[in-house]
Amino acid sequence: TSYVRVLVSSQQPATIIRDRVTPVKVFEKEFVKEPGKANEKDPGGGQKLITTGGDKKSCTLCESEEGASTPLLERGPLEGSIRVKEIQKFKLQFAVSPEFMTKYERIKELMSTRTPGGIDFEGAFEALMDEYIEKHSPEAREKRREARAAKKKVKSVAKIVKKKVKTDAKVERTKNEAPAARTVKAVKVKPAAKGPDQPLASSEPSRFIPQAIKDQVNKRDGGKCAFTGPGGQRCGSKWNIQVDHIIPFALGGSNKPDNLQLLCRRHNQHKAIKDFGKKKIHSHSKRK
């Protein structure tokens, strides 16, 4: 059927499909056991099923083996009732390329070891988004950094304890042995002469800001634009956030956290024009 739909769609081009997010309500069926009754199929006390949006009839009726609709509340073997509640969902609409679908099928194959029964779009996208956030978000990087620091501290303490035990054992051995007098001549080591090809240490400040400092500024500013307007209202945007020097780097500003702030792209450009002038910023942008 999917193959036939592809053939038909090639002969009937559709209009432009725009990305759309539509809030919808769907109905959730939950089996509720009656007190004091056991159910072999549901010993834990509840099974949830998501129906299609607006399908109220399917929540109150079910099909019997003969095909007749029978109210769920009248079915004896369930020994309980069905509770229906509405939950909020969002319906997404967007068009994708054939390459996207190829990648999606490959992702489903890779996930099939964890979900043998298959996975839907929501489950696949949620797993991918969780993985991306865990890898790229400043909060996750900070947690990994703290975990590494704690692990390093434990190793350092263990190393110190081990060294102390060795030293104590050595002192104990030297007490029982005759000390041997040893004279060690101090040897002066001349520093190696710097040749013409050897690079000199640069004392010039660098524009590079370490990722740890960026994450520290991000945590301090809450991941939001810190620009404050004349009325004292903060921008607070989380879109296209950039790390900005409060005192510009070109004017001697440092890369320390107290001289850094988060700004969205628009307010970063606004501040740059205020600091250097519109003509210089525009000429710099054209040159870029």
Side-chain angles (χ1 to χ4, degrees), residues 14-228:
T15 56
I16 297 175
I17 299 176
R18 300 186 182 278
D19 295 354
R20 184 177 299 173
V21 180
T22 309
V24 294
K25 282 286 184 72
V26 297
F27 298 96
E28 183 181 85
K29 298 189 296 183
E30 184 178 9
F31 174 68
V32 183
K33 290 197 306 181
E34 291 182 0
K37 292 187 178 181
N39 187 350
E40 294 179 358
K41 292 183 179 180
D42 189 16
Q47 183 181 6
K48 296 179 181 179
L49 298 173
I50 302 296
T51 67
T52 55
D55 190 8
K56 291 184 179 179
K57 187 175 180 181
S58 65
C59 294
T60 55
L61 298 177
C62 68
E63 296 295 329
S64 64
E65 294 180 0
E66 293 78 18
S69 296
T70 309
L72 285 171
L73 297 178
E74 295 179 5
R75 291 185 63 181
L78 286 177
E79 296 182 349
S81 59
I82 293 294
R83 182 171 59 193
V84 181
K85 63 178 181 179
E86 294 182 352
I87 59 174
Q88 181 68 56
K89 291 275 187 175
F90 292 90
K91 178 183 175 182
L92 305 182
Q93 173 184 300
F94 57 96
V96 298
S97 64
E99 292 79 13
F100 180 96
M101 291 306 300
T102 303
K103 293 175 184 177
Y104 174 67
E105 294 298 329
R106 178 58 180 153
I107 285 171
K108 288 202 298 183
E109 291 172 1
L110 296 173
M111 289 183 173
S112 61
T113 53
R114 289 186 295 174
T115 56
I119 191 168
D120 56 4
F121 275 100
E122 183 180 4
F125 288 169
E126 193 166 2
L128 294 174
M129 288 188 290
D130 288 342
E131 186 173 343
Y132 189 89
I133 291 171
E134 178 63 27
K135 187 175 181 181
H136 295 284
S137 70
E139 296 82 8
R141 280 199 299 264
E142 186 65 25
K143 284 183 180 178
R144 290 196 296 270
R145 198 174 291 114
E146 289 174 357
R148 287 196 299 268
K151 192 175 180 180
K152 189 176 179 181
K153 188 176 180 180
V154 171
K155 284 185 177 180
S156 178
V157 171
K159 192 175 180 180
I160 291 171
V161 171
K162 189 176 180 181
K163 189 175 180 180
K164 189 176 184 303
V165 170
K166 281 186 175 181
T167 305
D168 292 343
K170 189 176 180 180
V171 170
E172 191 65 28
R173 285 197 306 269
T174 53
K175 282 181 181 179
N176 301 326
E177 295 175 1
R182 295 179 182 177
T183 308
V184 179
K185 282 188 177 182
V187 180
K188 290 184 180 181
V189 179
K190 293 182 179 180
K194 292 183 179 180
D197 298 333
Q198 188 172 353
L200 298 174
S202 176
S203 59
E204 295 182 2
S206 172
R207 282 184 174 272
F208 174 74
I209 303 174
Q211 189 63 55
I213 294 180
K214 288 183 180 179
D215 292 341
Q216 184 180 345
V217 175
N218 186 86
K219 185 178 180 181
R220 184 197 66 200
D221 292 350
K224 302 175 184 178
C225 176
F227 179 84
T228 304

